[in-house]
Amino acid sequence: MSRILGMMIVRNEADRYLNKVLEQMKSICDEIYILDDASTDNTVEICKQYTKFVFENQANAWTISEINVRKKLWKNI
């Protein structure tokens, strides 16, 4: 049986389109995996409303190495 997995890397998206995107993902994805890259707003809390798979970076790693952030997300799936 096939499943559709949604994945996102987010940082400080609470006041942008996060709710709309997660609503759309929820309608088509069996599971959603999110890696938060050290948000300082309530992005994590919003994401946890849509999925139990929210992984948090403690420091902003995107600017140092985007590939390592993506690898971390893939490892958590």
Coordinates of all heavy atoms in Angstrom, one line a residue:
M1 N 0.8 -1.2 0.0 CA 0.0 0.0 0.0 C 0.9 1.3 0.0 O 1.8 1.4 0.8 CB -0.9 0.0 1.2 CG -1.9 1.1 1.3 SD -3.1 0.8 2.6 CE -2.9 2.3 3.5
S2 N 0.7 2.1 -0.9 CA 1.4 3.4 -1.0 C 0.9 4.4 -0.1 O -0.3 4.5 0.3 CB 1.4 3.9 -2.4 OG 1.9 3.0 -3.3
R3 N 1.9 5.3 0.4 CA 1.5 6.4 1.2 C 2.1 7.7 0.7 O 3.2 7.6 0.0 CB 2.0 6.2 2.7 CG 1.5 5.0 3.4 CD 2.0 4.9 4.8 NE 3.4 5.0 4.8 CZ 4.1 5.5 5.9 NH1 3.5 5.8 7.0 NH2 5.4 5.6 5.9
I4 N 1.5 8.8 0.9 CA 2.0 10.0 0.5 C 2.5 10.8 1.7 O 1.8 11.0 2.7 CB 0.9 10.9 -0.2 CG1 0.5 10.2 -1.5 CG2 1.5 12.3 -0.5 CD1 -0.7 10.9 -2.2
L5 N 3.8 11.1 1.7 CA 4.4 11.8 2.8 C 4.7 13.2 2.4 O 5.3 13.5 1.3 CB 5.7 11.1 3.2 CG 5.7 9.6 3.6 CD1 7.1 9.1 3.9 CD2 4.7 9.4 4.7
G6 N 4.4 14.2 3.3 CA 4.7 15.6 3.1 C 5.8 15.9 4.0 O 5.9 15.5 5.1
M7 N 6.8 16.8 3.5 CA 7.9 17.2 4.2 C 8.1 18.7 4.0 O 7.9 19.2 2.9 CB 9.2 16.5 3.8 CG 9.1 15.0 3.9 SD 10.7 14.2 3.5 CE 11.3 15.1 2.2
M8 N 8.5 19.4 5.1 CA 8.7 20.8 5.1 C 9.9 21.2 6.0 O 10.0 20.6 7.1 CB 7.5 21.6 5.5 CG 6.4 21.6 4.5 SD 5.0 22.6 5.2 CE 5.7 24.2 5.4
I9 N 10.7 22.1 5.6 CA 11.6 22.8 6.5 C 11.1 24.2 6.7 O 10.8 24.9 5.7 CB 13.0 22.8 5.9 CG1 13.5 21.3 5.7 CG2 14.0 23.6 6.8 CD1 14.8 21.2 4.9
V10 N 10.9 24.6 8.0 CA 10.3 25.9 8.3 C 11.2 26.7 9.2 O 11.9 26.1 10.0 CB 8.9 25.7 8.8 CG1 8.0 25.1 7.8 CG2 8.9 24.9 10.1
R11 N 11.0 28.0 9.2 CA 11.6 28.9 10.2 C 10.8 30.2 10.2 O 10.7 30.9 9.1 CB 13.0 29.1 9.8 CG 13.7 30.0 10.9 CD 15.2 30.0 10.8 NE 15.8 30.6 11.9 CZ 16.0 31.9 12.1 NH1 15.7 32.8 11.2 NH2 16.6 32.4 13.2
N12 N 10.2 30.5 11.3 CA 9.4 31.7 11.5 C 8.4 31.9 10.4 O 8.4 33.0 9.7 CB 10.4 32.9 11.6 CG 11.2 32.9 12.8 OD1 10.8 32.3 13.8 ND2 12.4 33.5 12.8
E13 N 7.5 31.0 10.2 CA 6.5 31.0 9.2 C 5.1 31.3 9.7 O 4.1 31.3 9.0 CB 6.5 29.7 8.4 CG 7.8 29.4 7.7 CD 8.1 30.3 6.5 OE1 7.1 30.9 5.9 OE2 9.2 30.4 6.1
A14 N 5.0 31.5 11.0 CA 3.7 31.6 11.6 C 2.8 32.7 11.1 O 1.6 32.5 10.9 CB 3.8 31.8 13.1
D15 N 3.4 33.8 10.7 CA 2.6 35.0 10.2 C 2.6 35.0 8.7 O 2.3 36.1 8.1 CB 3.2 36.3 10.7 CG 3.0 36.4 12.2 OD1 2.0 35.8 12.8 OD2 3.9 37.0 12.9
R16 N 2.9 33.9 8.0 CA 2.9 33.9 6.6 C 1.8 32.9 6.1 O 0.6 33.1 6.5 CB 4.3 33.5 6.1 CG 5.3 34.5 6.6 CD 6.7 34.3 6.1 NE 6.7 34.6 4.6 CZ 7.6 34.2 3.8 NH1 8.6 33.5 4.3 NH2 7.6 34.5 2.6
Y17 N 2.1 31.9 5.3 CA 1.1 31.0 4.7 C 1.1 29.6 5.4 O 0.5 28.7 4.8 CB 1.3 30.9 3.2 CG 1.2 32.2 2.5 CD1 2.4 32.9 2.1 CD2 0.0 32.8 2.2 CE1 2.3 34.1 1.5 CE2 -0.1 34.0 1.6 CZ 1.1 34.7 1.2 OH 1.0 35.9 0.6
L18 N 1.7 29.5 6.5 CA 1.9 28.2 7.1 C 0.5 27.4 7.3 O 0.4 26.3 7.0 CB 2.6 28.3 8.5 CG 3.0 27.0 9.2 CD1 3.9 26.2 8.3 CD2 3.7 27.3 10.5
N19 N -0.5 28.1 7.9 CA -1.7 27.4 8.1 C -2.4 26.9 6.8 O -2.8 25.8 6.7 CB -2.7 28.3 8.9 CG -2.4 28.3 10.4 OD1 -2.3 27.3 11.0 ND2 -2.3 29.5 10.9
K20 N -2.4 27.7 5.8 CA -2.9 27.4 4.5 C -2.2 26.2 3.9 O -2.8 25.2 3.4 CB -2.9 28.5 3.6 CG -3.9 29.6 3.9 CD -3.9 30.8 2.9 CE -4.8 31.9 3.3 NZ -4.9 32.9 2.4
V21 N -0.9 26.2 4.0 CA -0.1 25.2 3.4 C -0.3 23.8 4.1 O -0.5 22.8 3.5 CB 1.4 25.5 3.4 CG1 2.3 24.3 3.0 CG2 1.7 26.7 2.4
L22 N -0.3 23.9 5.4 CA -0.5 22.7 6.2 C -1.9 22.1 6.0 O -2.1 20.9 6.0 CB -0.2 23.0 7.7 CG 1.2 23.2 8.0 CD1 1.4 23.6 9.5 CD2 2.0 21.9 7.8
E23 N -2.9 23.0 5.9 CA -4.3 22.5 5.6 C -4.3 21.7 4.3 O -4.9 20.7 4.2 CB -5.3 23.7 5.5 CG -5.8 24.1 6.9 CD -6.6 23.1 7.6 OE1 -7.3 22.3 7.0 OE2 -6.5 23.0 8.9
Q24 N -3.7 22.3 3.3 CA -3.6 21.6 2.0 C -2.9 20.3 2.1 O -3.3 19.3 1.5 CB -3.0 22.5 0.9 CG -3.9 23.7 0.5 CD -3.3 24.6 -0.5 OE1 -2.1 24.5 -0.8 NE2 -4.1 25.5 -1.1
M25 N -1.7 20.3 2.7 CA -1.0 19.1 2.9 C -1.8 18.0 3.6 O -1.7 16.9 3.3 CB 0.4 19.4 3.6 CG 1.4 20.1 2.8 SD 2.9 20.5 3.7 CE 3.7 18.9 3.7
K26 N -2.5 18.5 4.7 CA -3.3 17.5 5.5 C -4.3 16.8 4.6 O -4.6 15.7 4.8 CB -3.9 18.3 6.6 CG -4.7 17.5 7.6 CD -5.3 18.4 8.7 CE -6.3 17.6 9.4 NZ -7.0 18.5 10.4
S27 N -4.8 17.5 3.6 CA -5.9 17.0 2.8 C -5.4 15.9 1.8 O -6.2 15.1 1.4 CB -6.6 18.1 2.1 OG -5.8 18.6 1.1
I28 N -4.1 15.9 1.5 CA -3.6 14.9 0.5 C -2.5 14.0 1.1 O -2.2 13.0 0.4 CB -3.1 15.6 -0.8 CG1 -1.9 16.6 -0.4 CG2 -4.2 16.4 -1.5 CD1 -1.2 17.1 -1.7
C29 N -1.9 14.3 2.2 CA -0.8 13.6 2.7 C -1.3 12.6 3.8 O -2.1 13.0 4.7 CB 0.3 14.5 3.3 SG 1.1 15.5 2.1
D30 N -0.7 11.4 3.8 CA -1.0 10.5 4.9 C -0.2 10.9 6.2 O -0.8 10.7 7.3 CB -0.6 9.1 4.5 CG -1.4 8.6 3.3 OD1 -2.6 8.6 3.4 OD2 -0.7 8.2 2.3
E31 N 1.0 11.4 6.0 CA 1.7 11.9 7.2 C 2.5 13.1 6.7 O 2.9 13.3 5.6 CB 2.7 10.8 7.7 CG 2.1 9.7 8.3 CD 3.1 8.6 8.7 OE1 4.2 8.7 8.4 OE2 2.6 7.7 9.5
I32 N 2.8 14.1 7.7 CA 3.5 15.3 7.4 C 4.7 15.3 8.4 O 4.5 15.1 9.6 CB 2.7 16.5 7.6 CG1 1.4 16.5 6.7 CG2 3.5 17.8 7.3 CD1 0.4 17.6 7.0
Y33 N 5.9 15.5 7.8 CA 7.1 15.6 8.6 C 7.7 17.0 8.5 O 7.8 17.5 7.4 CB 8.2 14.6 8.1 CG 7.7 13.2 8.4 CD1 6.9 12.5 7.5 CD2 8.2 12.5 9.5 CE1 6.5 11.2 7.7 CE2 7.8 11.2 9.7 CZ 7.0 10.6 8.8 OH 6.6 9.3 9.1
I34 N 7.9 17.7 9.6 CA 8.4 19.0 9.6 C 9.7 19.2 10.4 O 9.8 18.6 11.5 CB 7.3 20.0 10.1 CG1 6.1 19.9 9.3 CG2 7.9 21.4 10.3 CD1 4.9 20.7 9.8
L35 N 10.7 19.9 9.8 CA 11.8 20.2 10.6 C 11.8 21.7 10.8 O 11.8 22.5 9.8 CB 13.1 19.8 9.9 CG 14.4 19.9 10.7 CD1 15.3 18.8 10.5 CD2 15.1 21.2 10.5
D36 N 11.8 22.2 12.0 CA 11.8 23.6 12.3 C 13.3 24.0 12.6 O 13.9 23.4 13.4 CB 11.0 23.9 13.5 CG 11.0 25.4 13.9 OD1 10.4 26.2 13.2 OD2 11.8 25.7 14.8
D37 N 13.7 25.0 11.9 CA 15.1 25.5 12.0 C 15.2 26.7 12.9 O 15.4 27.8 12.5 CB 15.7 25.8 10.6 CG 17.2 25.9 10.6 OD1 17.8 25.2 11.4 OD2 17.7 26.6 9.8
A38 N 15.0 26.5 14.2 CA 15.1 27.5 15.2 C 14.2 28.7 15.1 O 14.6 29.8 15.2 CB 16.6 27.9 15.3
S39 N 12.9 28.4 14.9 CA 12.0 29.5 14.9 C 11.9 30.2 16.2 O 12.0 29.6 17.3 CB 10.6 28.9 14.5 OG 10.5 28.6 13.2
T40 N 11.6 31.5 16.1 CA 11.5 32.3 17.3 C 10.0 32.8 17.5 O 9.7 33.5 18.5 CB 12.4 33.5 17.3 OG1 12.2 34.3 16.1 CG2 13.9 33.1 17.3
D41 N 9.2 32.4 16.6 CA 7.7 32.7 16.8 C 7.0 31.4 17.1 O 7.6 30.5 17.6 CB 7.2 33.3 15.5 CG 7.3 32.4 14.3 OD1 7.7 31.2 14.4 OD2 7.0 32.9 13.1
N42 N 5.7 31.3 16.9 CA 4.9 30.1 17.3 C 4.8 29.1 16.1 O 3.8 28.4 16.1 CB 3.6 30.5 17.9 CG 2.7 31.2 16.9 OD1 3.1 31.8 16.0 ND2 1.4 31.1 17.1
T43 N 5.7 29.1 15.2 CA 5.7 28.1 14.1 C 5.6 26.7 14.6 O 4.8 25.9 14.1 CB 6.9 28.3 13.2 OG1 6.9 29.6 12.6 CG2 7.0 27.2 12.1
V44 N 6.4 26.3 15.6 CA 6.3 24.9 16.1 C 5.0 24.6 16.6 O 4.4 23.5 16.3 CB 7.4 24.7 17.2 CG1 7.3 23.4 17.8 CG2 8.8 24.9 16.5
E45 N 4.3 25.4 17.4 CA 3.0 25.2 17.9 C 2.0 25.0 16.8 O 1.1 24.1 16.9 CB 2.6 26.3 18.9 CG 3.4 26.4 20.2 CD 4.8 27.0 20.0 OE1 5.0 27.7 19.0 OE2 5.6 26.8 20.9
I46 N 2.1 25.8 15.8 CA 1.1 25.6 14.7 C 1.4 24.3 14.0 O 0.4 23.5 13.7 CB 1.3 26.8 13.7 CG1 0.8 28.1 14.3 CG2 0.5 26.5 12.4 CD1 1.2 29.3 13.5
C47 N 2.6 23.9 13.8 CA 2.9 22.7 13.1 C 2.4 21.5 13.9 O 1.9 20.5 13.3 CB 4.4 22.6 12.8 SG 5.0 23.7 11.6
K48 N 2.6 21.5 15.2 CA 2.1 20.4 16.1 C 0.6 20.2 16.0 O 0.2 19.1 16.4 CB 2.6 20.7 17.5 CG 4.1 20.4 17.6 CD 4.6 20.6 19.0 CE 6.1 20.3 19.1 NZ 6.6 20.5 20.5
Q49 N -0.1 21.2 15.6 CA -1.6 21.0 15.4 C -1.9 20.1 14.3 O -3.0 19.5 14.2 CB -2.2 22.4 15.2 CG -2.2 23.3 16.4 CD -2.7 24.7 16.2 OE1 -3.4 24.9 15.1 NE2 -2.5 25.6 17.1
Y50 N -1.0 20.0 13.3 CA -1.2 19.2 12.1 C -0.5 17.9 12.1 O -0.9 17.0 11.3 CB -0.8 20.0 10.9 CG -1.7 21.2 10.7 CD1 -1.4 22.5 11.3 CD2 -2.8 21.2 9.9 CE1 -2.2 23.6 11.1 CE2 -3.6 22.2 9.7 CZ -3.3 23.4 10.3 OH -4.1 24.5 10.1
T51 N 0.5 17.7 12.9 CA 1.3 16.5 12.8 C 2.1 16.3 14.2 O 2.4 17.2 14.9 CB 2.3 16.5 11.7 OG1 3.0 15.2 11.7 CG2 3.3 17.6 11.8
K52 N 2.3 15.0 14.4 CA 3.2 14.7 15.6 C 4.6 14.6 15.2 O 5.5 14.5 16.1 CB 2.7 13.4 16.2 CG 2.8 12.2 15.3 CD 2.3 10.9 16.0 CE 2.3 9.8 15.0 NZ 1.8 8.6 15.5
F53 N 5.0 14.8 14.0 CA 6.3 14.6 13.5 C 7.0 16.0 13.2 O 7.1 16.4 12.1 CB 6.4 13.8 12.2 CG 5.7 12.5 12.3 CD1 4.5 12.2 11.7 CD2 6.4 11.5 13.0 CE1 3.9 11.0 11.8 CE2 5.8 10.2 13.1 CZ 4.5 10.0 12.5
V54 N 7.2 16.7 14.3 CA 7.9 18.0 14.3 C 9.3 17.9 14.9 O 9.3 17.5 16.1 CB 7.1 19.1 14.9 CG1 7.8 20.4 14.9 CG2 5.7 19.2 14.3
F55 N 10.3 18.1 14.2 CA 11.7 18.0 14.7 C 12.3 19.4 14.8 O 12.1 20.2 13.9 CB 12.5 17.1 13.8 CG 11.8 15.8 13.5 CD1 11.2 15.6 12.3 CD2 11.8 14.8 14.4 CE1 10.6 14.4 12.0 CE2 11.1 13.6 14.2 CZ 10.5 13.4 13.0
E56 N 13.0 19.7 15.9 CA 13.4 21.0 16.1 C 15.0 21.1 16.1 O 15.6 20.4 16.8 CB 12.9 21.6 17.4 CG 11.4 21.6 17.4 CD 10.9 22.1 18.8 OE1 11.3 23.2 19.2 OE2 10.0 21.4 19.4
N57 N 15.5 22.1 15.3 CA 16.9 22.4 15.4 C 17.0 23.5 16.5 O 16.1 24.4 16.5 CB 17.4 23.0 14.1 CG 17.9 22.0 13.2 OD1 18.2 20.9 13.5 ND2 18.1 22.3 11.9
Q58 N 18.0 23.5 17.3 CA 18.1 24.5 18.4 C 18.8 25.7 17.8 O 18.7 26.8 18.4 CB 18.9 23.9 19.5 CG 18.2 22.7 20.2 CD 16.8 23.0 20.6 OE1 16.6 24.0 21.3 NE2 15.9 22.2 20.3
A59 N 19.6 25.6 16.8 CA 20.3 26.8 16.2 C 20.0 26.9 14.7 O 19.8 25.8 14.1 CB 21.8 26.7 16.4
N60 N 19.9 28.0 14.2 CA 19.7 28.2 12.8 C 20.8 27.6 11.9 O 21.8 28.1 11.8 CB 19.5 29.7 12.5 CG 19.2 30.0 11.0 OD1 19.0 29.1 10.2 ND2 19.2 31.2 10.6
A61 N 20.5 26.4 11.4 CA 21.5 25.7 10.7 C 21.5 25.9 9.2 O 22.4 25.6 8.4 CB 21.4 24.2 10.9
W62 N 20.3 26.4 8.7 CA 20.1 26.6 7.2 C 21.2 27.5 6.6 O 21.7 27.2 5.5 CB 18.8 27.3 7.0 CG 18.4 27.4 5.5 CD1 18.7 28.4 4.7 CD2 17.7 26.4 4.7 NE1 18.2 28.2 3.5 CE2 17.6 27.0 3.4 CE3 17.2 25.2 5.0 CZ2 17.0 26.3 2.4 CZ3 16.6 24.5 3.9 CH2 16.5 25.1 2.7
T63 N 21.6 28.6 7.3 CA 22.6 29.5 6.7 C 24.0 28.9 6.7 O 24.8 29.3 5.9 CB 22.6 30.8 7.5 OG1 22.9 30.5 8.8 CG2 21.3 31.6 7.3
I64 N 24.2 27.9 7.5 CA 25.5 27.2 7.6 C 25.6 26.1 6.5 O 26.5 26.0 5.8 CB 25.8 26.6 9.0 CG1 25.8 27.8 10.0 CG2 27.0 25.8 9.0 CD1 25.8 27.3 11.4
S65 N 24.5 25.2 6.5 CA 24.6 24.1 5.6 C 23.1 23.6 5.3 O 22.6 22.8 6.1 CB 25.4 23.0 6.1 OG 25.3 21.8 5.3
E66 N 22.6 24.1 4.2 CA 21.3 23.6 3.8 C 21.2 22.1 3.6 O 20.2 21.5 4.0 CB 20.8 24.3 2.5 CG 19.5 23.8 1.9 CD 19.2 24.4 0.6 OE1 19.8 25.3 0.1 OE2 18.3 23.8 -0.1
I67 N 22.2 21.5 3.1 CA 22.2 20.1 2.8 C 22.1 19.3 4.1 O 21.5 18.3 4.2 CB 23.4 19.6 2.0 CG1 23.1 18.2 1.4 CG2 24.7 19.7 2.7 CD1 23.9 17.9 0.2
N68 N 22.8 19.8 5.2 CA 22.7 19.1 6.5 C 21.4 19.1 7.1 O 20.9 18.2 7.7 CB 23.8 19.6 7.4 CG 25.2 19.1 7.1 OD1 25.4 18.1 6.4 ND2 26.2 19.9 7.5
V69 N 20.7 20.3 6.9 CA 19.3 20.4 7.4 C 18.4 19.4 6.7 O 17.6 18.7 7.3 CB 18.8 21.8 7.2 CG1 17.3 22.0 7.6 CG2 19.6 22.8 8.1
R70 N 18.5 19.3 5.4 CA 17.7 18.4 4.6 C 18.0 16.9 4.9 O 17.1 16.1 5.0 CB 17.9 18.6 3.1 CG 17.4 20.0 2.6 CD 17.3 20.1 1.1 NE 16.9 21.4 0.7 CZ 15.6 21.8 0.7 NH1 14.7 21.0 1.1 NH2 15.3 23.0 0.4
K71 N 19.3 16.6 5.1 CA 19.7 15.3 5.6 C 19.0 14.9 6.9 O 18.6 13.8 7.1 CB 21.2 15.1 5.7 CG 21.9 15.0 4.4 CD 23.4 14.9 4.6 CE 24.2 14.8 3.3 NZ 25.6 14.7 3.6
K72 N 19.0 15.9 7.8 CA 18.4 15.6 9.1 C 16.9 15.3 9.0 O 16.4 14.4 9.6 CB 18.6 16.8 10.0 CG 18.1 16.6 11.4 CD 18.4 17.7 12.4 CE 17.9 17.5 13.8 NZ 18.2 18.5 14.7
L73 N 16.3 16.0 8.1 CA 14.8 15.7 7.9 C 14.7 14.3 7.3 O 13.8 13.6 7.8 CB 14.2 16.8 7.0 CG 12.7 16.6 6.7 CD1 11.9 16.6 7.9 CD2 12.3 17.7 5.7
W74 N 15.4 14.0 6.3 CA 15.3 12.6 5.7 C 15.6 11.5 6.7 O 15.0 10.5 6.7 CB 16.3 12.5 4.5 CG 15.7 13.1 3.3 CD1 16.0 14.3 2.7 CD2 14.7 12.5 2.5 NE1 15.3 14.5 1.6 CE2 14.4 13.5 1.4 CE3 13.9 11.4 2.5 CZ2 13.5 13.2 0.4 CZ3 13.0 11.1 1.5 CH2 12.8 12.0 0.5
K75 N 16.6 11.8 7.6 CA 17.0 10.7 8.6 C 15.8 10.5 9.6 O 15.7 9.4 10.2 CB 18.2 11.2 9.4 CG 19.5 11.0 8.6 CD 20.7 11.4 9.4 CE 21.9 11.3 8.6 NZ 23.1 11.7 9.3
N76 N 15.0 11.5 9.9 CA 13.9 11.4 10.8 C 12.7 10.7 10.3 O 11.8 10.4 11.0 CB 13.6 12.8 11.4 CG 14.6 13.3 12.4 OD1 14.9 12.6 13.4 ND2 15.1 14.4 12.2
I77 N 12.7 10.5 9.0 CA 11.5 9.8 8.4 C 11.6 8.4 8.5 O 12.4 7.7 8.4 CB 11.3 10.3 6.9 CG1 11.0 11.8 6.9 CG2 10.3 9.5 6.2 CD1 10.8 12.4 5.6

